[in-house]
Structures are given as C-alpha cells and as structure tokens.
Amino acid sequence: MSKTFESSSELNSDYSLTEQQISSYQENGHVYLKNVASKEEIAEYEPIITDWVLKLNYHDKPVSERDTYGKAFIQIGNLWEKSEACRRFTLARRFGKIAAELMGVDGVRIYHDQALFKEPGGGHTPWHQDQIYWPLDTSNTITMWMPLVPIPQEVGTMTFANGTHKLGYVNKQEISDESHKTLAQYIEAKQFPTVNYGAMSVGDATFHAGWTMHCAPGNPTDNMRKVMTIIYVADGTRIAEPDSKARESDLRSWLPGCKPGDLAASPLNPLVYSNKI
C-alpha cells in the first residue's frame, strides 16, 4: 500500500436518483448522471490514478503499430489494490449505492475496476457486450464510466444501443473488428435506437448494463482521454460455468479461489453497498 492518503472526501455521501432515471436505465440499459462526483473530489483522485496507470502501462509499441484492441486504450484493472486512494475511489459507497438502486437490488459487490485511458491518436472501441467476458450467473451487472478529465465532443463518449441489455448473449465475439462489424449490422437490422451523450464533464458518469451493446470513437486530439470504470455485480450472485477462454481467464483473474456454483464473493469482490446494513 502507498503512504497514507489524506482526503477531504470519502465519497460516501448519498447521490439521489429520480424514479425517471431508474426507469430509464431499466428500460434502455444505460443512463447519464451529472455530478456523481464533484470537480474537487476528482481533483484529489485523478493525479494518483493517472500515476498508477502510467506506471503500469504495458504497451511497448506506438499506437499505430498495435491491433484494434491495443489501439483502443491503456487498460489497467484492479487499481484499488494498488493504493489507499484508489481503494477509496473504487470502494466508494456513493457509487455502489447508485449501482444497486439502478439495478433494483439490495446490495452490490465489486467485480473489478478498470482505468481506460485512450491515448492521443488512439483508435475506436468496437461494438461489444461486456458480459461475454464475465462468468456470472446473473444479468444484474452494471458498469460506471466516469471521466477524470473533461471530454469534448470531438473526443466523444460511448454510444449505446437502447434495450440490447434485454437480449443476453447475441454472440461471443470478443472486442475486435469482427465484433464491431457483426454487432453494427445486428443493431441496424433490428433497428435498435442508439444514443450518444456527447461531451461529458469531470465527475459525470454513465452507467450501463453488462449486456448493453456499446462502442466509443477514437481520440483525434493531443490529450489523453482519462476514464475510470467500476464494474458491479449484485450481491448473492453465483459463478457460472465458464463457456469460453475469456470467461475462464476472468474466473482466474477476478474471482480467485472460486469455482462454478460458488458465490461471487472472493477477497477481490468486497461488498461496497447493502441496504440491509
């Protein structure tokens, strides 16, 4: 652990959701919320998260020489294990309570966090469904996607396909050129409306369901697009039998020591909110 982190914000105060926001999420599979964290709060955490991302960046080739997935972002998981500050951010009660209330469940555990930093000149993030990677026997999963820097229109945020979270598996293609083509054709053929929330401010957030189809544009600017994401799963969820190499890998990485049928509650999956406590 790093040295003691002095913070004026524990990120534990409540964020009040409206019934319309909850119903919109449940109908469409995504929602955009303003000021989930204040600019002052993010100003405390952003430099520390950025420092860890750059320290742990595994890319050893220029963006132009990577494959589509590699061009999309620097992806660093479970930062909450690295420092006290990252731990406070990822395990924040405020964020977990929002996730639980949007899904309509009693409590949530962390599946894992991910910093997703799209470099200057970084490529697009292809259409995909997150949950093809997750060996979880539930549809009650949700990801918070929060900018740590302002995201202008020209950089762009995610585009979501409304209602696709209700479909479950559509195909098992991992994030790739193939997933982008296949799902784009599917969305167009089925005439699912798509939504992009445009520019986003520091501390705003989108929340989307694990099965919601989504993509993101590339970064044509000279500035790093810094985003922190946290994936939540409903407390009480059990682990599904992995049916792909991706899910076998996730089981080892994010649910260590667990096996199919067990509760998704390893030491890496702490309970961050429960309305019963």
Side-chain angles (χ1 to χ4, degrees):
M1 298 289 284
S2 66
K3 65 181 180 180
T4 301
F5 173 63
E6 298 296 335
S7 173
S8 62
S9 171
E10 299 292 332
L11 295 170
N12 286 332
S13 59
D14 286 353
Y15 182 96
S16 297
L17 292 170
T18 67
E19 288 300 319
Q20 192 278 329
Q21 288 168 332
I22 295 171
S23 63
S24 179
Y25 168 80
Q26 294 181 354
E27 177 63 26
N28 296 318
H30 57 89
V31 69
Y32 173 37
L33 304 178
K34 297 285 289 181
N35 302 314
V36 174
S38 70
K39 290 180 174 61
E40 293 76 17
E41 288 171 329
I42 296 300
E44 293 188 7
Y45 291 95
E46 180 274 320
I48 298 164
I49 292 171
T50 295
D51 182 60
W52 277 103
V53 170
L54 297 181
K55 188 182 300 184
L56 298 172
N57 180 14
Y58 50 88
H59 288 302
D60 58 4
K61 296 179 180 179
V63 172
S64 61
E65 296 178 17
R66 302 176 203 159
D67 62 13
T68 297
Y69 193 98
K71 289 176 181 177
F73 34 60
I74 303 170
Q75 180 181 31
I76 306 295
N78 266 18
L79 282 177
W80 72 270
E81 293 185 281
K82 306 302 181 185
S83 79
E84 183 180 344
C86 295
R87 181 183 181 88
R88 289 189 189 184
F89 188 90
T90 295
L91 306 190
R93 179 183 182 277
R94 183 190 305 162
F95 304 155
K97 184 172 184 284
I98 293 170
E101 290 180 348
L102 288 173
M103 291 191 292
V105 300
D106 291 331
V108 292
R109 292 180 176 272
I110 297 295
Y111 182 49
H112 61 86
D113 68 25
Q114 288 187 133
L116 299 176
F117 281 31
K118 195 177 289 282
E119 297 156 278
H124 75 127
T125 306
W127 281 107
H128 65 283
Q129 293 176 292
D130 294 336
Q131 202 158 329
I132 66 160
Y133 293 95
W134 305 341
L136 299 170
D137 189 18
T138 184
S139 292
N140 282 323
T141 60
I142 191 171
T143 297
M144 183 185 81
W145 192 95
M146 179 178 284
L148 304 178
V149 295
I151 300 183
Q153 184 75 41
E154 63 182 321
V155 175
T157 50
M158 290 187 292
T159 296
F160 302 100
N162 284 0
T164 50
H165 64 304
K166 300 175 183 178
L167 303 174
Y169 261 132
V170 172
N171 68 56
K172 297 181 181 180
Q173 291 177 333
E174 297 178 32
I175 300 174
S176 61
D177 293 331
E178 290 73 27
S179 75
H180 190 72
K181 179 180 178 181
T182 300
L183 293 182
Q185 291 174 340
Y186 183 88
I187 291 164
E188 182 177 4
K190 298 292 185 180
Q191 298 184 321
F192 287 105
T194 59
V195 173
N196 184 287
Y197 294 111
M200 287 178 66
S201 297
V202 168
D204 292 352
T206 59
F207 286 76
H208 67 272
W211 289 120
T212 301
M213 296 178 192
H214 59 287
C215 66
N219 180 4
T221 74
D222 295 328
N223 301 313
M224 184 82 80
R225 188 213 72 179
K226 301 178 183 182
V227 167
M228 188 65 179
T229 70
I230 306 171
I231 304 164
Y232 302 90
V233 58
D235 185 33
T237 293
R238 295 195 177 271
I239 298 169
E241 185 72 46
D243 53 3
S244 67
K245 291 187 185 307
R247 286 185 162 186
E248 289 173 359
S249 176
D250 259 35
L251 179 57
R252 290 191 299 270
S253 297
W254 312 122
L255 297 158
C258 297
K259 61 185 184 298
D262 289 349
L263 289 171
S266 84
L268 294 187
N269 314 114
L271 183 72
V272 292
Y273 171 76
S274 174
N275 62 18
K276 295 180 179 180
I277 297 175

